[in-house]
Amino acid sequence: MSTPPEQSPSSPQQPPSTPQQPPQQQPSPPAQPPDQPPAPAPQPTAYPYPNPQSPPPPQNPYAQPTLVNQPVPPPQQGNPYAVQPGYGYPPPAGPPSAGQNAAGRAVLWAVVGAVVASAGWAAALLLTGGLGGSADLRGYQAPANLCSGADYSSFEDEYPDADSAPTKNALKDPALDQSYCSITLKKTGSSYADAYLSMQVDLHKKTDPAPEFTATWKNYGDSHTDYDVSPVQGIGDEAYLVTEDTSSGSTTSGSRYATLAVRDGWMTYTMSYSAYFSSYDSDTDPPALDDVTGWLKTDTKSTLEQLKD
């Protein structure tokens, strides 16, 4: 048995190695096949153990172990409603998604809203006369010359001097027919007008004037101070008398004013009287306001009858 060589002091203590055979007694390595290269000679290593093995190559941590004689699991099932290939039919469409349902409901409500809005619009046009042929004119006409078509004869006894050049105008439109007349009232011997009288008829052919008419005349005293407003029965569908007297009984200052406004269906008519006093007026005995309002009522009734002929 041979003696092992001495080791340097810095070298770690080696464990006892396996007794080596004399060189002449070691078996020779097996011969390599002719088609393979010779095996490489062992390299020196720093490990204290003889011929340590290299660590195995890293394994795939996600690889599944191979099982011997393990039954193969069946494939995962697909859409149960899908038609299998080979039947000649395309696969049926799946149920709609939540987004499709929401979009469908939005479109449905939009269509319903449009239908309701269209119905409301048509009803509004029907009620307001927008569809044509539904204006409630009660047979009234708006003459081209209202000065000759209106009656104001009740004022002739007080003001016998007729106006030779009254102001008149008329309007014809698909939405509105209108006629207007304004005359001066003079007593006998007066050089200037002692009072004024105006009449106007409006035929509303597209919209019902009732709401605005009521708001204007019923509430006239709210928007004009010192005016008295009272409803009048027996003339048209509704009528209002508006008066004002600032003369305080004097014939040299102040004024007297009266208007009778009437609505009959979609026809409106107004007749107004006004007188202004000053120390230069020759009229020292103007009519009382109660007399004037009586004349307005009488002549308005007569005029409305004439406007239907």
Side-chain angles (χ1 to χ4, degrees):
M1 180 177 296
S2 60
T3 303
E6 295 182 357
Q7 296 181 354
S8 62
S10 60
S11 298
Q13 183 68 28
Q14 296 285 345
S17 59
T18 306
Q20 296 182 358
Q21 298 293 332
Q24 66 274 8
Q25 295 181 0
Q26 290 182 355
S28 60
Q32 297 291 337
D35 56 347
Q36 292 184 359
Q43 298 296 327
T45 177
Y47 286 96
Y49 302 99
N51 299 330
Q53 297 294 328
S54 300
Q59 299 294 328
N60 184 3
Y62 301 101
Q64 298 295 330
T66 303
L67 301 179
V68 181
N69 297 329
Q70 183 71 18
V72 179
Q76 296 182 356
Q77 294 183 356
N79 184 1
Y81 300 99
V83 178
Q84 299 299 325
Y87 287 92
Y89 298 98
S97 62
Q100 293 175 341
N101 288 338
R105 288 194 297 269
V107 173
L108 176 61
W109 281 114
V111 173
V112 173
V115 172
V116 173
S118 299
W121 174 79
L125 288 179
L126 182 61
L127 293 176
T128 60
L131 298 179
S134 60
D136 185 14
L137 300 179
R138 309 284 175 92
Y140 289 101
Q141 301 294 326
N145 185 358
L146 187 59
C147 293
S148 61
D151 181 15
Y152 47 92
S153 58
S154 296
F155 292 84
E156 292 179 354
D157 292 339
E158 186 72 23
Y159 304 99
D161 196 352
D163 188 353
S164 60
T167 300
K168 62 182 183 296
N169 58 58
L171 169 67
K172 295 290 184 181
D173 186 85
L176 177 68
D177 287 351
Q178 185 180 85
S179 187
Y180 172 81
C181 173
S182 176
I183 63 175
T184 59
L185 301 176
K186 293 192 298 181
K187 290 188 175 183
T188 303
S190 296
S191 301
Y192 303 98
D194 296 309
Y196 300 88
L197 192 66
S198 64
M199 295 82 68
Q200 179 172 318
V201 58
D202 295 282
L203 304 181
H204 306 264
K205 298 186 291 184
K206 292 296 184 181
T207 56
D208 185 358
E212 294 184 2
F213 179 86
T214 304
T216 300
W217 294 105
K218 183 179 180 180
N219 305 311
Y220 196 89
D222 296 338
S223 57
H224 301 77
T225 57
D226 300 328
Y227 284 83
D228 296 324
V229 180
S230 59
V232 178
Q233 304 296 327
I235 305 179
D237 290 336
E238 60 177 327
Y240 299 93
L241 181 64
V242 179
T243 60
E244 180 195 38
D245 188 354
T246 62
S247 65
S248 301
S250 173
T251 60
T252 59
S253 65
S255 63
R256 293 174 185 174
Y257 169 85
T259 293
L260 179 60
V262 180
R263 181 189 66 83
D264 193 12
W266 289 22
M267 184 281 306
T268 58
Y269 179 79
T270 57
M271 190 174 189
S272 301
Y273 168 90
S274 58
Y276 305 92
F277 309 134
S278 71
S279 58
Y280 300 99
D281 292 333
S282 58
D283 184 9
T284 59
D285 187 20
L289 196 56
D290 289 342
D291 294 336
V292 171
T293 57
W295 298 340
L296 291 176
K297 294 175 183 179
T298 300
D299 289 349
T300 294
K301 290 179 180 180
S302 177
T303 299
L304 295 181
E305 292 296 329
Q306 293 178 188
L307 293 179
K308 287 186 176 182
D309 296 339

